[in-house]
Amino acid sequence: MGGAAGKFGEPAGRDGTWPGPSAADPGRRHTAAVVTDRFDRIAWRDTYAQSAGLRELAAELSARYECTSDLLIDAFLAAYKTGPRLRERAEMAPSRLVNHQVITSLLETQEFAELRRETVGDPYAAAMAVLAQAPALRGLLERCRAAWEQAEQANTAQRGAEDAARGVGEALGQAADEAEAEAANEADADAEAEAGFGPGAGSEAGSGAVPVPADDAVQQAIVAARAAEAAARQAGQAAAQALAAAAPGLRAGARTAAAQAAGSVREEAALMRAWGVAPGELERMPFDARARLAERLRSSRLARWAELIGRFRQMAGGERARKVENATGELVGVTLGNDLSRVIPSELANLGLPELRAVFAVRYAAGELMLYDSQEEQATGKGAVIACVDTSHSMYETGPGGVSREAWAKACALALLDQARQAGRDFVGVLFSAADKLQVFRFPADEPADLPRVLDFAECFLGGGTSYQAPLTAAGELLEQEFDDTARRRGDIVMITDDECGVTEEWTRGWNDAKHRLGFRLFGVVVGAPEAAGSDSVLGALCDNLRSIEDLTDVHAAADLFRLI
């Protein structure tokens, strides 16, 4: 073929062959802007299969724009991979250069860097980021429509140039085959002539010349290839210009997309943290279950409580950390005695001096050591923690900061649930309103606190009036049952209400008997109704410890409750 091709002079390369167009083979160009490995592709396939939202978005965008499936994969991996690396523009297929520019613009924004703090290594969060960017991505694609069209034209022209180049190669190959066949025929003729059978030496020997029809076909193929290459080059320049014109808008749109996604991802992460869902638990949660949970938290009134619930849980955790082992109550001063667990440091220092040890012993025997004085508090309970939460109509009322009484009461109850679980105690939520409206939610200490069940407890609202006797009777019976089953006493009941109501004398006698027998305590929390917490109120007579919460935004108003329970 080399000798035959050399007959054509100008079209041949230095080695006697057609050099082909300057552009690279589109088959070797990449359609993905983000460099991936096998594990990245598995993560995307699994996530895409599990996410109906991703599939719907892909179908919607693909119906209006080309190459959007590759764009979604790139956007997902840019958020998911630890260190996403983009391919060089020269490696990209012309039709995917817009994708490359979009992802480049995203990765260059500070907003996307903040987003990645929540999404790296978490396929669910990365998928949620893509879905959150959907409105902005639609705008970006519309803004880039002209660039998309030019890129498609460039891609088509590039394929035409490659097809024409292959046509030149095929024409050259065919011409070479015909030239070799002609040369073989002439060689046979010469051999016959020498043997006396052919036309003799006077005939023209084979010169290896290419037949004229083949020569014409090669020339035509070369002309077509050059024209196709020129068209591809021109289309590529037009696509580059269109993309350059769209670039400023792409950068602005990318910032918007990243900001929207970061806000959505942070909001969901905050909701999960507020409701006590640990990152490890989220990672183990099936995709669809996690999506349903997130939707439930976002779409209900629970979303408005997230900040309050988080503050309560942080405050309760802080109060647990402040507890002093073996302390009998709040320190209020110094007194005299012989309780070595409360001796002040200066007294203990005397033991370090041999000459003062005898003095220390005499003062100890006489009960004259200086001790920390405390305001006496009953020791922490060992039985169940029971939160009786008022869900009458008045609990819907909103207080300072837009916080409803119900939200405050439920947040306090959920913090008590945390308190009980930290102490290895059972927790029971008793929701009440009128005498005939009661719902009980049990959370045993030896079983996981199932989050959907916790949400059921938080969302449940009975409505109606208020009755003290029904919930307190139920709480007493629960503690009685616990004592019968496990012999545990000293449970704690917390009554959270915004109303005042009466109790009968007969019921009070039975209540006091049960309280004495089981050794439990009753704490009262009056929310937004200070008159119900007066010394002459029913709760004042029933409770061992009663407080009134007037500012519904002040979670620390209940801080001592968590030190005592």
Side-chain angles (χ1 to χ4, degrees):
M1 177 176 175
K7 300 286 287 184
F8 299 103
E10 181 183 339
R14 292 181 180 179
D15 60 352
T17 61
W18 163 249
S22 57
D25 181 0
R28 297 177 183 174
R29 298 290 186 95
H30 294 282
T31 59
V34 178
V35 178
T36 63
D37 57 29
R38 179 167 60 92
F39 300 104
D40 297 332
R41 292 188 289 273
I42 291 173
W44 164 254
R45 284 198 301 268
D46 290 347
T47 305
Y48 186 80
Q50 296 178 69
S51 173
L54 282 179
R55 296 194 299 274
E56 292 170 3
L57 178 60
E60 175 203 340
L61 295 182
S62 296
R64 300 173 59 189
Y65 311 99
E66 296 292 334
C67 309
T68 52
S69 59
D70 292 316
L71 178 60
L72 293 184
I73 297 172
D74 284 333
F76 170 83
L77 293 177
Y80 172 73
K81 285 175 65 68
T82 302
R85 182 170 64 86
L86 293 184
R87 300 185 190 279
E88 297 296 330
R89 287 173 56 87
E91 300 179 65
M92 298 296 297
S95 60
R96 302 304 195 273
L97 286 175
V98 174
N99 289 6
H100 188 280
Q101 185 62 53
V102 169
I103 301 302
T104 299
S105 300
L106 280 174
L107 289 173
E108 288 175 349
T109 65
Q110 179 62 34
E111 292 82 357
F112 200 79
E114 294 175 1
L115 168 67
R116 284 175 39 77
R117 294 172 187 165
E118 302 285 350
T119 60
V120 169
D122 187 341
Y124 173 87
M128 190 178 71
V130 173
L131 294 174
Q133 293 175 85
L137 285 177
R138 293 187 188 97
L140 288 175
L141 294 174
E142 191 62 33
R143 190 177 292 114
C144 293
R145 184 178 288 277
W148 277 104
E149 293 172 352
Q150 293 289 348
E152 281 299 311
Q153 293 176 13
N155 202 53
T156 301
Q158 184 68 50
R159 287 197 296 268
E162 293 299 325
D163 290 342
R166 283 191 292 271
V168 171
E170 291 171 0
L172 285 172
Q174 183 177 358
D177 291 342
E178 292 180 3
E180 290 175 359
E182 182 68 21
N185 290 336
E186 291 176 355
D188 291 342
D190 290 343
E192 291 175 357
E194 290 176 0
F197 298 104
S203 64
E204 184 179 351
S207 61
V210 178
V212 173
D215 190 357
D216 291 342
V218 172
Q219 293 291 352
Q220 290 173 6
I222 290 173
V223 170
R226 285 177 170 169
E229 183 180 2
R233 188 161 48 247
Q234 184 177 1
Q237 292 171 352
Q241 291 172 357
L243 189 56
L250 280 177
R251 285 190 287 270
R255 284 195 297 272
T256 301
Q260 289 175 346
S264 297
V265 172
R266 281 197 299 267
E267 178 186 359
E268 182 168 313
L271 278 174
M272 295 297 182
R273 285 193 294 268
W275 285 95
V277 185
E281 184 179 355
L282 284 177
E283 292 177 4
R284 294 189 298 271
M285 193 178 295
F287 189 97
D288 55 348
R290 184 171 172 181
R292 287 195 301 270
L293 173 60
E295 179 60 25
R296 183 177 182 182
L297 292 178
R298 281 195 302 266
S299 61
S300 70
R301 67 184 189 279
L302 301 178
R304 301 195 301 272
W305 302 354
E307 181 183 359
L308 182 66
I309 292 169
R311 288 166 54 199
F312 251 106
R313 283 182 152 149
Q314 289 177 1
M315 180 271 294
E319 293 302 322
R320 285 194 296 271
R322 289 178 56 189
K323 284 186 176 182
V324 181
E325 193 72 24
N326 297 323
T328 58
E330 182 180 357
L331 300 179
V332 295
V334 176
T335 187
L336 298 179
N338 59 4
D339 186 349
L340 295 179
S341 67
R342 296 160 53 199
V343 174
I344 67 174
S346 61
E347 287 280 22
L348 292 174
N350 292 335
L351 291 175
L353 300 174
E355 59 272 19
L356 294 180
R357 289 174 185 170
V359 175
F360 181 91
V362 171
R363 296 183 62 186
Y364 171 73
E368 295 179 350
L369 293 175
M370 287 189 291
L371 313 175
Y372 284 121
D373 195 10
S374 63
Q375 181 177 316
E376 293 297 328
E377 295 174 350
Q378 191 174 344
T380 300
K382 298 298 182 183
V385 176
I386 302 177
C388 298
V389 182
D390 190 348
T391 60
S392 60
H393 282 310
S394 59
M395 292 292 285
Y396 263 138
E397 294 184 14
T398 301
V403 179
S404 68
R405 296 175 180 179
E406 180 201 11
W408 199 99
K410 296 285 182 63
C412 184
L414 291 172
L416 287 169
L417 168 59
D418 286 350
Q419 190 86 348
R421 300 200 72 78
Q422 288 290 331
R425 301 169 67 182
D426 291 349
F427 176 83
V428 182
V430 178
L431 303 180
F432 71 94
S433 57
D436 59 341
K437 292 187 175 182
L438 197 75
Q439 190 154 348
V440 177
F441 293 82
R442 295 171 179 264
F443 298 92
D446 58 353
E447 297 178 10
D450 183 58
L451 185 57
R453 179 72 170 164
V454 174
L455 295 178
D456 290 341
F457 166 61
E459 286 183 309
C460 183
F461 193 88
L462 303 176
T466 304
S467 168
Y468 285 174
Q469 290 186 189
L472 291 178
T473 298
E477 291 173 351
L478 288 167
L479 292 178
E480 183 89 47
Q481 180 182 352
E482 181 184 37
F483 177 73
D484 292 342
D485 293 342
T486 65
R488 282 199 298 267
R489 300 173 70 249
R490 291 164 53 199
D492 290 314
I493 302 172
V494 182
M495 182 80 164
I496 308 174
T497 182
D498 71 339
D499 203 357
E500 171 83 334
C501 70
V503 294
T504 66
E505 183 177 347
E506 180 181 359
W507 179 88
T508 303
R509 284 197 297 270
W511 170 260
N512 288 332
D513 289 344
K515 187 177 180 183
H516 177 74
R517 183 173 66 259
L518 300 172
F520 61 77
R521 298 176 295 181
L522 175 61
F523 297 85
V525 180
V526 177
V527 183
E531 64 280 0
S535 58
D536 57 346
S537 67
V538 174
L539 276 182
L542 292 175
C543 292
D544 302 284
N545 187 304
L546 178 62
R547 65 193 44 73
S548 175
I549 307 299
E550 298 182 33
D551 184 354
L552 301 185
T553 63
D554 183 12
V555 299
H556 295 282
D560 63 319
L561 183 67
F562 297 94
R563 286 199 299 272
L564 298 175
I565 294 179

